[in-house]
Amino acid sequence: MSSTLLIIQTLNGLQLGVLLFLIAAGLTLVFGVMDFINLAHGVQYMLGAYLAAMFVAWTGNFFIGIALALICALAFGLLLEVVVMRHLYDRDHLEQVLATFGLILFLNEGVKIVWGAAPLQVPIPDSLSGTIRIADGVLYPVWRLAIIGSGLMVALGLYLIVAKTRVGMLIRAGATNAPMVSALGVDIRRLFMIVFGFGAMLAGFAGSMAAPVFSVEPGMGDNLLILAFVVIVIGGIGSIRGAFIGALLVGLVDTLLRSFSVDLLRLAGLSPSDARTIGPAIASMSIYILMAAVLFFRPTGLFPAKG
Amino acid sequence: MAETPASPPSLPPTPPLWRRLWLPVLVFALLALVPFVWGERFILGLVTRAMIMAIAALSLDLILGYGALVSFGHAAFLGLGAYAVAILFSHDIVDAAIAFPVAILVGAGFAFVTGAISLKTRGVYFIMITLAFGQMAFFTATSLSAYGGDDGLRMFHRSEVFGTRILANDTTFYFVVLGTLAGCFVLLKMIVGSRFGRVLRGAKENERRMRALGFDPFRYRLAAYVIAGAICALAGALFANLGMFVAPAYMTWQRSGEFIAMVVLGGMGTLIGPIIGAIGVTLVEEWLAALTQHWKVIFGPMVVLVAIFARGGIVKLLERVAGK
């Protein structure tokens, strides 16, 4: 367990955490304000990556490509809201889960038809390629640092919007007691449309930032979606702060245990072969155990939005 | 005139005789006829698979339809049952008389432990925590390198029954699965109609009132969860035998989603509905897959439409048609 590896894996964990936060932020607000479970949120992440791949290839400029991808992700989120989601607000969670599950099937297959089943590659822009020396003998890709940096900036921006602006106040109020906000004369449907579109855009942003790092392929959002759900359940549904802390926690625990669980088990006295067998299993289960533990002691998460 | 929203939903009236008796008789009679009408291996295998999925959907209906517990990790029980049989098989324990009870016990045990934790939560949190446990089972299976890991585990032949290989015959296996399905249906029918089932439904309608009557809903829900897990594991044991193969793919969360779709499409809380739903979904999937490799583009919107419009599912639809 060298310290170099520890630093690098911690940064990788932060990077995963930041991506998870971008996805979880939209999810938790939609969940919190309208009590709506959107399984199709992971698909927005996937679409963001595909749109980025397409526009970057078209325009030849990474940043213009990402900007266009964001606009399209927002537009698509609003379209989904109008066509499908709107009919589900007053329904049971069961029906919401089922309908958005159907959307996942449709969209995962849809991107296969439009862009093909083979993974796409997105080049890292020249200005942000290469590695940087962050400590003695520790080199880290600039692009991954850019992901962490931009994610943290978005987190800060979101915090300011939610904590300091009028829209943010309405969102917080909506997460705490939506019928009351509605009764006070706020058009909660429009508020929700804004939140939904914005959340879709954030997930799309996460996808387009992740596109150069991971391969862009159908179904790439599914696993992150489940992780994002773990995040918001740990953090407390409807809470941006909870999503942020939950995302970093999940990102770090998952990444660090994946690289160090075998070593840790060997330190705990297991034989090397046992440790190699059990280690990966424990690593992949760790965040679910974490979530079950949090829910067992705090059934509404760490920072519940509803009082 | 708007409906008065305040009045609590009363328990639905007893369903008409045709639904209680003739519809199940019709469904099971049709299933029993299949091997005589279409003897081809492919059809037989397909309908066998549909019936195994029907057993799983039936078990989900107990907790979803009668307990309002939206479990999004039900495929884990299917996988556990399948893995129990296949792992015992790889250790030369090939008799169904041992392997099937073990599979059922494994399912029940997993349901007891995870149910005890997840049933402490409500609503969305319950959906998410069952999903998480399902994912845990999935990842555990992928990391079982001794038992095939991602690639899964093959069985060289079907389970033996007291030393004989009668299950090797596809038609015999078909009727064993059909018999199991019918047995589970009757068993669940009895459970739902019993005092236990009424407490379960009562807790779904009005938990506070049940508490006031002196019942502890948690214990009833946990018992129902364990029964559902055990039955679904039995379906898994049959599933392992059908293809003589198990893989982590048996317990993906997409499969859990499909189970929910089957139950809702057929009609929640009717028991016969989920059977029809499971068979319908399996056949439609197969049919669409034969049409185009991109069948999910058609199947996905169908699921969306079912969620938005199919209130009460196929059984309710039949009722409406029959009522006119």
Side-chain angles (χ1 to χ4, degrees):
Chain A
M1 228 194 297
S2 68
S3 58
T4 315
L5 192 59
L6 187 65
I7 295 173
I8 288 184
Q9 292 298 355
T10 307
L11 284 171
N12 284 343
L14 272 181
Q15 180 216 309
L16 176 64
V18 160
L19 286 179
L20 280 177
F21 170 70
L22 290 176
I23 301 172
L27 203 58
T28 202
L29 288 180
V30 166
F31 230 3
V33 179
M34 286 308 270
D35 201 22
F36 178 68
I37 307 187
N38 180 18
L39 291 187
H41 200 69
V43 176
Q44 300 281 2
Y45 166 83
M46 175 184 71
L47 273 177
Y50 268 101
L51 290 168
M54 184 177 73
F55 284 121
V56 169
W58 272 7
T59 58
N61 181 312
F62 189 85
F63 300 98
I64 298 177
I66 284 205
L68 287 173
L70 281 186
I71 295 169
C72 283
L74 175 68
F76 190 79
L78 293 176
L79 180 76
L80 267 190
E81 204 270 346
V82 172
V83 175
V84 181
M85 308 306 179
R86 196 163 270 202
H87 306 287
L88 294 163
Y89 294 158
D90 303 328
R91 298 300 193 82
D92 292 350
H93 287 144
L94 175 64
E95 283 155 343
Q96 299 168 349
V97 163
L98 196 57
T100 51
F101 171 69
L103 276 181
I104 295 181
L105 294 181
F106 174 70
L107 290 170
N108 275 346
E109 201 63 39
V111 297
K112 237 184 245 178
I113 295 177
V114 176
W115 285 288
L120 303 182
Q121 299 294 332
V122 179
I124 296 174
D126 287 338
S127 53
L128 293 170
S129 64
T131 55
I132 196 168
R133 232 174 69 109
I134 47 177
D136 265 344
V138 185
L139 293 173
Y140 201 74
V142 178
W143 180 248
R144 284 175 179 257
L145 287 177
I147 294 181
I148 298 176
S150 57
L152 290 178
M153 258 150 57
V154 171
L156 182 68
L158 254 184
Y159 168 76
L160 290 178
I161 291 176
V162 170
K164 305 284 179 201
T165 66
R166 188 176 159 75
V167 172
M169 184 188 74
L170 289 176
I171 289 174
R172 274 181 295 137
T176 314
N177 193 338
M180 184 60 81
V181 177
S182 182
L184 290 173
V186 176
D187 185 350
I188 198 100
R189 287 288 163 112
R190 209 186 57 186
L191 177 69
F192 182 60
M193 203 171 156
I194 295 171
V195 171
F196 191 91
F198 195 64
M201 195 174 75
L202 282 180
F205 179 62
S208 47
M209 292 301 282
V213 183
F214 306 116
S215 65
V216 181
E217 57 193 349
M220 66 184 281
D222 293 2
N223 287 329
L224 273 176
L225 169 82
I226 307 235
L227 290 184
F229 271 122
V230 172
V231 163
I232 64 173
V233 166
I234 288 178
I237 290 171
S239 159
I240 283 283
R241 189 171 51 146
F244 186 68
I245 292 179
L248 293 188
L249 205 60
V250 166
L252 285 171
V253 167
D254 190 59
T255 311
L256 290 177
L257 276 185
R258 263 175 215 285
S259 26
F260 297 116
S261 65
V262 176
D263 292 336
L264 284 175
L265 284 175
R266 286 182 65 180
L267 280 181
L270 265 74
S271 73
S273 68
D274 281 354
R276 265 198 301 280
T277 322
I278 304 172
I282 290 188
S284 48
M285 291 194 307
S286 57
I287 52 160
Y288 301 109
I289 298 173
L290 177 71
M291 164 172 157
V294 167
L295 280 191
F296 190 74
F297 293 108
R298 297 185 65 117
T300 48
L302 294 176
F303 302 96
K306 294 195 198 299
Chain B
M1 270 273 291
E3 288 176 354
T4 39
S7 72
S10 56
L11 281 180
T14 316
L17 184 69
W18 67 265
R19 194 186 112 189
R20 271 181 303 148
L21 184 63
W22 297 118
L23 188 61
V25 166
L26 180 71
V27 169
F28 283 108
L30 284 178
L31 286 173
L33 278 177
V34 166
F36 302 108
V37 183
W38 297 283
E40 299 114 81
R41 246 186 121 206
F42 169 73
I43 302 276
L44 218 52
L46 175 63
V47 182
T48 311
R49 181 156 57 92
M51 290 193 298
I52 293 173
M53 293 302 127
I55 299 174
L58 200 54
S59 70
L60 180 61
D61 194 30
L62 176 67
I63 48 177
L64 183 62
Y66 293 92
L69 303 168
V70 183
S71 163
F72 209 144
H74 211 60
F77 299 111
L78 188 84
L80 282 171
Y83 263 93
V85 169
I87 287 176
L88 286 176
F89 194 96
S90 72
H91 292 289
D92 292 324
I93 300 169
V94 297
D95 205 302
I98 301 170
F100 278 44
V102 168
I104 292 173
L105 280 179
V106 168
F110 185 72
F112 183 77
V113 175
T114 59
I117 298 172
S118 17
L119 288 168
K120 296 275 181 204
T121 62
R122 275 281 149 278
V124 173
Y125 291 95
F126 181 79
I127 302 179
M128 290 307 137
I129 198 165
T130 49
L131 176 64
F133 280 127
Q135 288 299 99
M136 249 171 78
F138 172 77
F139 285 120
T140 310
T142 58
S143 57
L144 284 177
S145 46
Y147 300 108
D150 269 329
D151 300 327
L153 189 59
R154 193 156 275 296
M155 292 161 63
F156 297 110
H157 55 81
R158 290 203 176 124
S159 295
E160 295 175 356
V161 182
F162 299 111
T164 66
R165 292 203 181 169
I166 52 169
L167 291 186
N169 181 300
D170 284 339
T171 314
T172 313
F173 187 64
Y174 181 94
F175 281 106
V176 168
V177 172
L178 177 59
T180 313
L181 176 61
C184 291
F185 176 72
V186 172
L187 176 72
L188 285 173
K189 204 88 192 157
M190 278 159 43
I191 290 177
V192 165
S194 69
R195 177 175 171 279
F196 171 84
R198 272 178 285 169
V199 174
L200 194 63
R201 275 185 284 171
K204 170 190 157 195
E205 300 293 344
N206 193 327
E207 177 161 354
R208 190 175 292 177
R209 207 173 284 173
M210 287 316 282
R211 282 187 190 285
L213 286 171
F215 294 102
D216 178 9
F218 175 79
R219 288 165 58 186
Y220 286 84
R221 287 188 178 125
L222 185 58
Y225 199 73
V226 170
I227 295 169
I231 293 179
C232 194
L234 174 63
L238 291 169
F239 202 38
N241 269 294
L242 174 66
M244 290 173 274
F245 176 67
V246 298
Y250 284 13
M251 32 184 151
T252 56
W253 65 277
Q254 284 91 342
R255 192 181 290 278
S256 298
E258 269 177 42
F259 284 152
I260 297 180
M262 290 169 180
V263 173
V264 173
L265 173 68
M268 279 195 296
T270 60
L271 292 182
I272 190 66
I275 295 181
I276 300 173
I279 294 172
V281 166
T282 312
L283 295 183
V284 165
E285 274 183 8
E286 194 68 32
W287 172 63
L288 289 177
L291 282 182
T292 162
Q293 57 159 326
H294 298 299
W295 58 276
K296 282 181 185 162
V297 173
I298 309 170
F299 185 65
M302 282 165 76
V303 172
V304 176
L305 292 178
V306 164
I308 296 183
F309 296 110
R311 295 201 139 165
I314 293 173
V315 168
K316 261 277 165 337
L317 197 71
L318 287 175
E319 254 171 35
R320 246 176 268 151
V321 172
K324 269 173 192 162

